Amino acid sequence: MSKMIPLKPASKVYLEVYLAMANRPFRTIMEIRAWKPTNINGEERKVSHPKGLYVRGQHTGTKAFVARKAYKGDVVPCTIGSIEKVKLESARTLTNLIGYELKKNSLENVRKALVNCAGDHTLFQEELKKVKAPAVSGMTVDEFMEEWLPIKQASLADGPSRRRPESLY
């Protein structure tokens, strides 16, 4: 008859390692797909590579990539897209681009460009250019100057001079 080995209760070290692995950042898309969020309000877990990339999961099973980047002293979330539509590599690239673009552009412009890019970083840059471009009005330069000149003349101290004649304005 074989000798039975008594089972030991889970050691303290094993529990620490298990808990550390449960909270470590995701490295692959397979880990993200296998993750089952339990919080009814949803929860976020970090992705390993770029700083600021997270996966937001709902208890219903839907998951989306979220970039959390600094903007004017606050950390703001920008949803990149669902894990079914956006590849992990594209999400990583977009996270870096979002951080770079938030330094130069407004948050609203970046979010508008993200809505239309469908997870593609080249489309994101094109959409950002479209969003940043000023709207073309039907005004000519002469019409604009006729409206602008009376406003500007009020702020001039001495009016036109030899160095700045009225024809410049």
Side-chain angles (χ1 to χ4, degrees):
M1 195 156 168
S2 66
K3 190 176 183 183
M4 298 207 39
I5 300 171
L7 295 175
K8 295 180 183 177
S11 68
K12 198 175 199 180
V13 174
Y14 174 78
L15 286 175
E16 288 175 7
V17 169
Y18 178 77
L19 291 174
M21 287 186 68
N23 293 325
R24 74 174 172 79
F26 292 124
R27 294 187 183 131
T28 64
I29 193 70
M30 297 303 289
E31 292 177 357
I32 294 170
R33 287 187 181 138
W35 175 51
K36 305 283 189 235
T38 55
N39 191 347
I40 197 156
N41 296 328
E43 52 187 289
E44 285 187 358
R45 292 254 322 258
K46 186 167 177 13
V47 177
S48 65
H49 172 52
K51 185 177 181 183
L53 180 60
Y54 289 80
V55 175
R56 181 182 296 150
Q58 302 295 330
H59 74 284
T60 58
T62 58
K63 299 170 193 153
F65 290 113
V66 177
R68 295 177 71 200
K69 292 291 185 176
Y71 179 70
K72 294 185 178 178
D74 294 330
V75 176
V76 293
C78 297
T79 303
I80 296 172
S82 69
I83 65 167
E84 288 83 25
K85 295 179 181 174
V86 181
K87 293 182 180 180
L88 180 58
E89 180 181 344
S90 297
R92 287 177 167 157
T93 306
L94 276 170
T95 301
N96 291 332
L97 277 174
I98 289 168
Y100 176 72
E101 292 296 338
L102 279 176
K103 293 176 185 171
K104 300 188 308 183
N105 297 310
S106 69
L107 178 63
E108 292 78 26
N109 287 349
V110 170
R111 285 187 173 160
K112 285 178 189 173
L114 274 173
V115 168
N116 298 328
C117 79
D120 185 15
H121 65 277
T122 53
L123 269 177
F124 172 71
Q125 290 172 328
E126 291 172 11
E127 290 293 328
L128 198 57
K129 287 177 187 174
K130 289 178 191 176
V131 170
K132 284 193 306 187
V136 178
S137 67
M139 273 185 147
T140 64
V141 174
D142 291 332
E143 291 170 348
F144 175 76
M145 292 305 280
E146 286 174 6
E147 287 183 19
W148 177 77
L149 186 58
I151 297 167
K152 185 65 177 171
Q153 277 181 338
S155 66
L156 293 175
D158 298 328
S161 66
R162 282 185 162 195
R163 290 182 63 197
R164 294 187 179 143
E166 191 170 340
S167 62
L168 270 178
Y169 301 103

